Amino acid sequence: MAAHRRPPQASPRRTGFVTATAAAAVALSVQPASADPLPDPNKKGVRAQVDRLYEQATQATEKYNGAKEKADRLRGETKALQDAVARRQGEVNELRDRLGMVAAGQYRSGGLDPALQLFLSEDPDSYLAKASALDRAGERQAAVLQQFLSQQQALRLQREEATRKLGDLDATQRQLGERKAEIQGKLREAQRLLNTLSAKERTRIAQEEDRADRASARVNLGNEASASQRAAAALASAKSRVGMPYVWGASGPASFDCSGLTSWAFRQAGVTIPRTSQAQAAAGTRIDSLGALKPGDLVIMRTDLSHVGFYAGNGQILHSPKPGAQVRYESIARSGMPFMWGVRIG
């Protein structure tokens, strides 16, 4: 079986970015080989703590992604409602003008119909409680008046709905801010802990991360076919992003979080899937057996479904794993995250 080969080298700008990111948040899934790192007051290893902080940050990132997706949807719905309100207001104004012209004509002819008097009052909505007055108006006037009142009522309902949507949007945007602060706090704490390590230990960790990237370039993926052309196309797009950095909340094309990579890759294949790993877990046909996965299927990881990647073949996952890491291939069995199930799209 042919071995996967390293993709083209990253540009100097991207390499510099990855180096800086790795220095701030190196991958810590590997176990220490010799001396123990500095312990914290709870006597846990620094690297284990940082690993946990990064896991918490990625979990918070998926919640952030969900809130952002909701905010984007609410923003679009609110704009559509506001546009509809503006159109309906124009229609109401036009009906008001028509009724005003009728009233003016009646006034010039020597009188004003009682129904139009109601319309021209300070509270035209009170007309709804006095609908019997329509009997005193001509058939045409009655139809226009009824249309006006119906449009007024519909306008009021649309305005109320738009107000509710704006309230939901404000609450969601506050949630976005809270998630962002949570993620940044986890990453700052991880960096603080990393700074307690010696320069030699930090260098060794960075070298281990580099070895993981080089191992990714030599991985053997086998030659199993994908379940569909779209899955194959999505996987091919994801493969083209190997070496790109993990950035929380990013969805390409130059940086990704885990669900950002999978949703971006499927978009390149002409398929829209949800943004978050939890939503992607229910986006297609569930595959419970790891052995039944085909290349291009989604791989759902962790008990809270907070991680996702592509099944790449031969027991490998192609994913954007965590802060400080790059998009790469890794053994599912050695990823340190429990496999939950697969999802076949299309």
Side-chain angles (χ1 to χ4, degrees):
M1 294 186 287
H4 172 76
R5 298 184 181 278
R6 178 188 289 272
Q9 294 294 318
S11 67
R13 182 177 65 178
R14 192 181 79 200
T15 302
F17 178 85
V18 173
T19 303
T21 305
V26 292
L28 300 172
S29 60
V30 292
Q31 298 299 315
S34 54
D36 291 333
L38 295 175
D40 74 346
N42 296 322
K43 301 185 182 303
K44 293 181 180 178
V46 168
R47 295 174 68 180
Q49 292 180 75
V50 173
D51 216 16
R52 179 57 181 161
L53 284 166
Y54 282 165
E55 180 179 351
Q56 292 171 348
T58 58
Q59 290 168 337
T61 294
E62 288 305 289
K63 293 177 182 177
Y64 172 90
N65 290 336
K68 185 176 185 302
E69 186 175 43
K70 181 180 178 181
D72 291 342
R73 174 177 55 79
L74 285 171
R75 196 173 291 111
E77 291 174 356
T78 300
K79 184 180 184 305
L81 275 171
Q82 290 172 332
D83 290 344
V85 165
R87 287 193 300 271
R88 194 173 294 276
Q89 182 66 67
E91 294 170 359
V92 167
N93 291 343
E94 182 180 349
L95 286 169
R96 189 188 301 274
D97 291 342
R98 287 171 60 188
L99 288 169
M101 291 173 63
V102 172
Q106 289 189 1
Y107 181 78
R108 286 193 299 269
S109 66
L112 187 62
D113 191 281
L116 290 175
Q117 293 179 31
L118 283 172
F119 160 70
L120 294 172
S121 68
E122 290 296 323
D123 185 15
D125 286 340
S126 66
Y127 189 81
L128 288 172
K130 302 176 183 180
S132 61
L134 284 172
D135 294 336
R136 297 190 294 272
E139 184 177 339
R140 182 179 177 188
Q141 289 175 205
V144 175
L145 280 167
Q146 189 59 58
Q147 186 180 5
F148 170 81
L149 293 170
S150 296
Q151 292 284 49
Q152 278 280 77
Q153 187 175 27
L155 178 61
R156 181 170 57 253
L157 292 174
Q158 283 185 321
R159 282 176 171 161
E160 290 172 357
E161 186 178 1
T163 299
R164 286 196 299 271
K165 292 287 186 183
L166 283 171
D168 290 344
L169 179 57
D170 287 342
T172 303
Q173 288 176 327
R174 286 195 299 272
Q175 186 182 22
L176 272 176
E178 292 167 1
R179 295 301 182 196
K180 180 177 181 179
E182 179 183 1
I183 295 164
Q184 292 176 332
K186 301 289 185 186
L187 296 181
R188 281 195 301 268
E189 177 62 12
Q191 183 58 56
R192 185 191 68 77
L193 290 170
L194 284 171
N195 290 340
T196 67
L197 298 175
S198 67
K200 181 178 180 180
E201 177 68 4
R202 291 197 299 271
T203 298
R204 184 167 69 85
I205 295 171
Q207 289 172 343
E208 290 170 345
E209 176 72 10
D210 183 62
R211 282 196 293 273
D213 291 335
R214 284 188 276 114
S216 171
R218 297 190 301 270
V219 69
N220 182 355
L221 300 177
N223 56 7
E224 187 175 7
S226 298
S228 69
Q229 290 185 344
R230 287 182 172 179
L235 178 59
S237 293
K239 288 179 177 180
S240 74
R241 301 294 93 184
V242 168
M244 297 294 183
Y246 177 101
V247 174
W248 68 268
S251 56
S255 58
F256 302 89
D257 60 26
C258 68
S259 59
L261 174 66
T262 50
S263 57
W264 176 87
F266 267 106
R267 281 201 306 275
Q268 310 316 300
V271 179
T272 299
I273 64 173
R275 176 61 174 85
T276 68
S277 58
Q278 290 90 347
Q280 290 178 17
T285 302
R286 176 166 163 165
I287 310 294
D288 288 315
S289 169
L290 185 60
L293 293 178
K294 300 286 186 181
D297 290 343
L298 296 178
V299 180
I300 308 300
M301 310 287 280
R302 295 199 185 114
T303 55
D304 64 351
L305 315 181
S306 62
H307 190 72
V308 64
F310 281 103
Y311 184 69
N314 201 27
Q316 301 291 316
I317 184 174
L318 173 57
H319 63 159
S320 185
K322 57 188 174 183
Q326 301 175 10
V327 175
R328 66 189 181 199
Y329 301 93
E330 288 185 313
S331 167
I332 295 175
R334 297 180 182 178
S335 67
M337 294 178 282
F339 167 76
M340 302 309 296
W341 61 78
V343 175
R344 185 160 296 160
I345 304 295

